Amino acid sequence: MKVLMFGWEFPPHILGGLGTACYGITKGLSMQPDMEITFVIPRTWGDEDQSFVKILGANSTPIVWRDVAWETVRDRLGKFMAPQEYYRLRDHIYADFSYIHTNDLGCIEFSGRYPSNILEEINNYSIVAGVIARTYDFDVIHAHDWLTYPAGLHAKSVTGKPLVIHVHATEFDRSRGKPNPVVYGIEKDGMDHCDKIICVSNLTRKTVINNYHQPEDKVVTVHNAVDPLSPEIEAIERLAGVPEKIVTFLGRITMQKGPEFFVEAATQVLKRTNHIRFVMAGSGDMLNQMIHMVADRGIADRFHFTGFLRGKQVYEMFKSSDVYVMPSVSEPFGISPLEAMQCGVPCIISYQSGCSEILNYVIKTNYWDVDAMADSIYSLCTYPGISEFLKEEGKKEANNIKWEYAAQKVCDIYNQLVYR
């Protein structure tokens, strides 16, 4: 089975959970027999792990023919692809894209992030997808999240191959039910014209069926998972010199994640005890608002903001935490609690998160129930019996939720579409 996969992030360059999920899915698929994956991202950096997947950058794919010397291609793109790959792609340019700004190699520049001109980059990415789809041999197309749906649709239109779209989040989740009509339109167009929709939870599946008006038999759930911790991560020790208990929020500081409820719960807990410190790790459009909120509540001496954490830093934070809290208002899945559980951290999550469907050894509250959240935090930091139980059983549970098992379900979906 040959898969042409479109994504917006891939480790080690990640901006959120999407890149982590894409890595896990491709790694799990690589464990399936006779599986070959070409993963396209807007921009390659040259340090991606290609031991199990072929990474292709849209920024290295020519869409305008240029008479470029072999040595120039080797010197400019050698870190990202072999020169013959560039010429192979160049010879499959199928239309006149000279009206689009390209560099001297005939390639479009991509930020590799989420820039202010994101809609322009999505459109340019879909154009590049046409060149790639005409160049490579594959059986099925797999597009992750709304940013890549137009690319998947373009690849499907020029090849006729089946398209699977993977819904990691919807605009209803990101906007608390007030979707941007442009983003909603892109999402719905992808759902209407693909062959199968994979959702990361039953919660998301319900949203897709009810709010995007998709037939039930077209939409399936494949829950996310986690990779086993490496020996390097396992060896990380708790931060020294902090005698207090540490309670952590780690994620994008946006309204979808419910950071204000974490601050309110912290305020209540600190009225009862002073042996706890609270940490909000991440960045987002509500960061300044949360800083002011913490100051207004008078808890700034017990509350810390770390900024965005990546890679090993995430696990250093988990390893130094006594409780992890994810009070998301609408979380399609939420991988971070599983990562925290792997590190032996008891977790409190909202019922409104997809991972609550498969996790048993966590404490669950409604995101708005600040009283219950505060009581749970206080109990875990005060009574070691409860904490130790969730620490031990949670780690066992998380370690058994593997990407290999999720990938088996994805592979079954591919087979149904290709061999139907």
Side-chain angles (χ1 to χ4, degrees):
M1 180 75 67
K2 294 182 179 179
V3 184
L4 177 60
M5 196 173 284
F6 294 98
W8 206 260
E9 300 179 20
F10 199 83
H13 302 276
I14 59 174
L15 302 165
L18 178 61
T20 302
C22 288
Y23 182 90
I25 291 165
T26 52
K27 189 77 175 288
L29 283 170
S30 71
M31 298 177 185
Q32 311 306 309
D34 301 318
M35 185 66 66
E36 184 180 313
I37 307 161
T38 299
F39 194 96
V40 184
I41 49 179
R43 177 175 177 173
T44 48
W45 302 86
D47 54 356
E48 295 85 3
D49 180 4
Q50 297 201 48
S51 62
F52 58 91
V53 61
K54 179 183 178 64
I55 302 291
L56 198 61
N59 66 314
S60 302
T61 301
I63 64 163
V64 175
W65 199 94
R66 293 280 193 267
D67 186 10
V68 188
W70 178 277
E71 292 76 17
T72 302
V73 176
R74 181 195 61 200
D75 295 342
R76 292 273 297 281
L77 299 180
K79 183 180 178 181
F80 311 107
M81 64 165 60
Q84 55 265 36
E85 194 87 23
Y86 168 86
Y87 292 111
R88 181 184 175 202
L89 287 160
R90 187 191 66 176
D91 292 340
H92 283 84
I93 295 170
Y94 61 97
D96 181 10
F97 295 115
S98 57
Y99 64 92
I100 295 177
H101 177 71
T102 58
N103 60 24
D104 58 334
L105 296 176
C107 303
I108 301 175
E109 301 285 353
F110 287 87
S111 68
R113 300 186 180 278
Y114 297 96
S116 57
N117 65 329
I118 187 70
L119 293 177
E120 180 184 353
E121 290 220 344
I122 290 170
N123 181 67
N124 289 342
Y125 184 70
S126 70
I127 290 171
V128 175
V131 175
I132 292 171
R134 284 171 168 80
T135 306
Y136 288 89
D137 177 38
F138 56 90
D139 303 298
V140 65
I141 307 157
H142 191 150
H144 291 278
D145 228 28
W146 70 279
L147 301 150
T148 73
Y149 294 171
L153 290 173
H154 192 181
K156 175 180 172 63
S157 70
V158 301
T159 64
K161 299 295 175 67
L163 168 64
V164 176
I165 67 167
H166 209 129
V167 183
H168 296 265
T170 71
E171 183 62 8
F172 279 85
D173 301 305
R174 291 182 289 266
S175 65
R176 287 193 188 177
K178 298 177 181 178
N180 178 319
V182 175
V183 176
Y184 175 82
I186 293 173
E187 289 179 327
K188 191 169 190 315
D189 190 47
M191 294 177 192
D192 287 346
H193 296 99
C194 72
D195 297 276
K196 207 73 173 180
I197 303 169
I198 297 176
C199 295
V200 294
S201 64
N202 293 323
L203 179 72
T204 305
R205 180 175 183 267
K206 184 178 178 181
T207 299
V208 166
I209 292 169
N210 293 338
N211 296 100
Y212 293 83
H213 315 296
Q214 299 301 310
E216 291 188 15
D217 60 353
K218 187 178 182 179
V219 192
V220 297
T221 297
V222 178
H223 290 101
N224 283 338
V226 282
D227 279 320
L229 296 185
S230 67
E232 179 189 12
I233 298 299
E234 290 279 16
I236 295 173
E237 296 184 359
R238 183 185 176 91
L239 182 68
V242 182
E244 299 97 336
K245 298 289 185 179
I246 297 177
V247 179
T248 299
F249 169 109
L250 190 150
R252 286 182 292 110
I253 305 176
T254 63
M255 61 180 178
Q256 179 189 353
K257 303 294 184 178
E260 69 270 36
F261 301 105
F262 180 72
V263 174
E264 294 289 11
T267 303
Q268 287 201 22
V269 171
L270 291 172
K271 290 177 180 177
R272 302 164 67 178
T273 180
N274 65 355
H275 79 289
I276 300 174
R277 289 186 180 274
F278 290 84
V279 174
M280 184 168 284
S283 60
D285 58 13
M286 288 182 68
L287 175 58
N288 287 338
Q289 182 183 339
M290 291 303 100
I291 292 172
H292 287 294
M293 187 175 179
V294 166
D296 290 342
R297 298 296 186 273
I299 59 173
D301 61 328
R302 292 279 158 179
F303 206 106
H304 307 269
F305 294 90
T306 69
F308 184 76
L309 303 180
R310 58 167 52 86
K312 186 179 177 181
Q313 294 173 323
V314 170
Y315 291 99
E316 289 172 341
M317 189 68 252
F318 284 146
K319 290 279 190 171
S320 296
S321 301
D322 297 282
V323 180
Y324 176 68
V325 183
M326 188 180 75
S328 295
V329 175
S330 181
E331 185 72 53
F333 185 78
I335 290 176
S336 57
L338 278 69
E339 296 172 331
M341 292 163 73
Q342 285 183 303
C343 294
V345 184
C347 292
I348 302 168
I349 65 175
S350 68
Y351 283 115
Q352 292 75 23
S353 58
C355 63
S356 69
E357 298 168 5
I358 62 171
L359 294 177
N360 298 306
Y361 294 101
V362 295
I363 295 176
K364 303 173 190 177
T365 71
N366 287 304
Y367 72 86
W368 44 260
D369 195 343
V370 175
D371 294 335
M373 199 182 303
D375 287 343
S376 299
I377 292 170
Y378 182 82
S379 296
L380 287 172
C381 290
T382 306
Y383 304 111
I386 302 173
S387 178
E388 284 300 315
F389 175 76
L390 290 181
K391 179 177 180 177
E392 293 176 10
E393 296 302 321
K395 185 166 186 174
K396 292 177 189 175
E397 182 173 49
N399 284 336
N400 200 41
I401 301 173
K402 301 179 180 179
W403 281 115
E404 182 180 0
Y405 303 152
Q408 288 171 356
K409 297 177 182 178
V410 174
C411 193
D412 289 341
I413 293 167
Y414 291 165
N415 287 327
Q416 291 167 16
L417 294 175
V418 173
Y419 302 117
R420 60 186 173 185

